[in-house]
mmCIF file of all heavy atoms in Angstrom:
data_model
loop_
_atom_site.group_PDB
_atom_site.id
_atom_site.type_symbol
_atom_site.label_atom_id
_atom_site.label_comp_id
_atom_site.label_asym_id
_atom_site.label_seq_id
_atom_site.Cartn_x
_atom_site.Cartn_y
_atom_site.Cartn_z
ATOM 1 N N GLY A 24 130.971 39.036 122.108
ATOM 2 C CA GLY A 24 131.361 37.926 122.950
ATOM 3 C C GLY A 24 132.009 36.784 122.244
ATOM 4 O O GLY A 24 132.086 35.620 122.757
ATOM 5 N N GLY A 25 132.507 37.019 121.030
ATOM 6 C CA GLY A 25 133.251 35.967 120.317
ATOM 7 C C GLY A 25 132.541 35.600 118.995
ATOM 8 O O GLY A 25 131.445 36.037 118.690
ATOM 9 N N SER A 26 133.223 34.742 118.317
ATOM 10 C CA SER A 26 132.754 34.223 116.982
ATOM 11 C C SER A 26 131.431 33.505 117.147
ATOM 12 O O SER A 26 131.368 32.783 118.083
ATOM 13 C CB SER A 26 133.863 33.451 116.299
ATOM 14 O OG SER A 26 135.005 34.240 116.111
ATOM 15 N N ARG A 27 130.653 33.665 116.216
ATOM 16 C CA ARG A 27 129.357 32.908 116.343
ATOM 17 C C ARG A 27 128.878 32.529 114.899
ATOM 18 O O ARG A 27 129.086 33.302 114.002
ATOM 19 C CB ARG A 27 128.281 33.695 117.066
ATOM 20 C CG ARG A 27 127.968 35.053 116.451
ATOM 21 C CD ARG A 27 127.039 35.900 117.261
ATOM 22 N NE ARG A 27 127.699 36.260 118.508
ATOM 23 C CZ ARG A 27 127.120 36.210 119.742
ATOM 24 N NH1 ARG A 27 125.877 35.743 119.840
ATOM 25 N NH2 ARG A 27 127.783 36.544 120.808
ATOM 26 N N TRP A 28 128.223 31.371 114.765
ATOM 27 C CA TRP A 28 127.656 31.023 113.493
ATOM 28 C C TRP A 28 126.315 31.766 113.304
ATOM 29 O O TRP A 28 125.568 31.847 114.246
ATOM 30 C CB TRP A 28 127.433 29.454 113.443
ATOM 31 C CG TRP A 28 128.729 28.700 113.229
ATOM 32 C CD1 TRP A 28 129.535 28.196 114.229
ATOM 33 C CD2 TRP A 28 129.325 28.548 112.005
ATOM 34 N NE1 TRP A 28 130.690 27.610 113.676
ATOM 35 C CE2 TRP A 28 130.542 27.825 112.292
ATOM 36 C CE3 TRP A 28 129.050 28.714 110.659
ATOM 37 C CZ2 TRP A 28 131.447 27.354 111.307
ATOM 38 C CZ3 TRP A 28 129.943 28.289 109.722
ATOM 39 C CH2 TRP A 28 131.111 27.569 109.968
ATOM 40 N N GLN A 29 126.085 32.201 112.052
ATOM 41 C CA GLN A 29 124.824 32.863 111.762
ATOM 42 C C GLN A 29 124.297 32.323 110.465
ATOM 43 O O GLN A 29 125.025 32.037 109.498
ATOM 44 C CB GLN A 29 125.078 34.314 111.606
ATOM 45 C CG GLN A 29 123.815 35.147 111.391
ATOM 46 C CD GLN A 29 124.056 36.585 111.335
ATOM 47 O OE1 GLN A 29 124.723 37.063 110.558
ATOM 48 N NE2 GLN A 29 123.416 37.310 112.255
ATOM 49 N N LEU A 30 122.968 32.056 110.453
ATOM 50 C CA LEU A 30 122.250 31.485 109.278
ATOM 51 C C LEU A 30 121.196 32.573 108.917
ATOM 52 O O LEU A 30 120.526 33.129 109.808
ATOM 53 C CB LEU A 30 121.568 30.177 109.642
ATOM 54 C CG LEU A 30 120.809 29.515 108.531
ATOM 55 C CD1 LEU A 30 120.852 27.982 108.660
ATOM 56 C CD2 LEU A 30 119.331 29.936 108.603
ATOM 57 N N TYR A 31 121.173 32.866 107.596
ATOM 58 C CA TYR A 31 120.074 33.779 107.173
ATOM 59 C C TYR A 31 119.533 33.263 105.814
ATOM 60 O O TYR A 31 120.173 32.496 105.158
ATOM 61 C CB TYR A 31 120.592 35.251 107.045
ATOM 62 C CG TYR A 31 121.668 35.403 106.143
ATOM 63 C CD1 TYR A 31 121.464 35.613 104.675
ATOM 64 C CD2 TYR A 31 123.052 35.363 106.475
ATOM 65 C CE1 TYR A 31 122.503 35.799 103.797
ATOM 66 C CE2 TYR A 31 124.020 35.510 105.605
ATOM 67 C CZ TYR A 31 123.791 35.794 104.301
ATOM 68 O OH TYR A 31 124.779 35.928 103.369
ATOM 69 N N VAL A 32 118.321 33.702 105.569
ATOM 70 C CA VAL A 32 117.628 33.398 104.341
ATOM 71 C C VAL A 32 117.593 34.627 103.502
ATOM 72 O O VAL A 32 116.944 35.615 103.944
ATOM 73 C CB VAL A 32 116.212 32.825 104.532
ATOM 74 C CG1 VAL A 32 115.533 32.519 103.199
ATOM 75 C CG2 VAL A 32 116.325 31.550 105.434
ATOM 76 N N ALA A 33 118.257 34.657 102.324
ATOM 77 C CA ALA A 33 118.327 35.818 101.500
ATOM 78 C C ALA A 33 116.952 35.945 100.774
ATOM 79 O O ALA A 33 116.532 35.060 100.144
ATOM 80 C CB ALA A 33 119.479 35.654 100.440
ATOM 81 N N MET A 34 116.389 37.108 100.900
ATOM 82 C CA MET A 34 115.058 37.409 100.335
ATOM 83 C C MET A 34 115.112 38.835 99.746
ATOM 84 O O MET A 34 116.179 39.523 99.831
ATOM 85 C CB MET A 34 113.961 37.316 101.363
ATOM 86 C CG MET A 34 113.978 36.016 102.153
ATOM 87 S SD MET A 34 112.716 35.996 103.374
ATOM 88 C CE MET A 34 111.297 35.617 102.363
ATOM 89 N N SER A 35 114.075 39.255 99.122
ATOM 90 C CA SER A 35 114.020 40.698 98.659
ATOM 91 C C SER A 35 113.893 41.553 99.781
ATOM 92 O O SER A 35 113.617 41.189 100.913
ATOM 93 C CB SER A 35 112.832 40.825 97.708
ATOM 94 O OG SER A 35 111.664 40.580 98.318
ATOM 95 N N GLY A 36 114.240 42.845 99.615
ATOM 96 C CA GLY A 36 114.150 43.762 100.640
ATOM 97 C C GLY A 36 115.493 44.022 101.351
ATOM 98 O O GLY A 36 116.560 43.581 100.860
#
Side-chain angles (χ1 to χ4, degrees):
S26 297
R27 60 188 67 229
W28 285 94
Q29 185 175 59
L30 180 146
Y31 61 87
V32 178
M34 306 178 80
S35 60

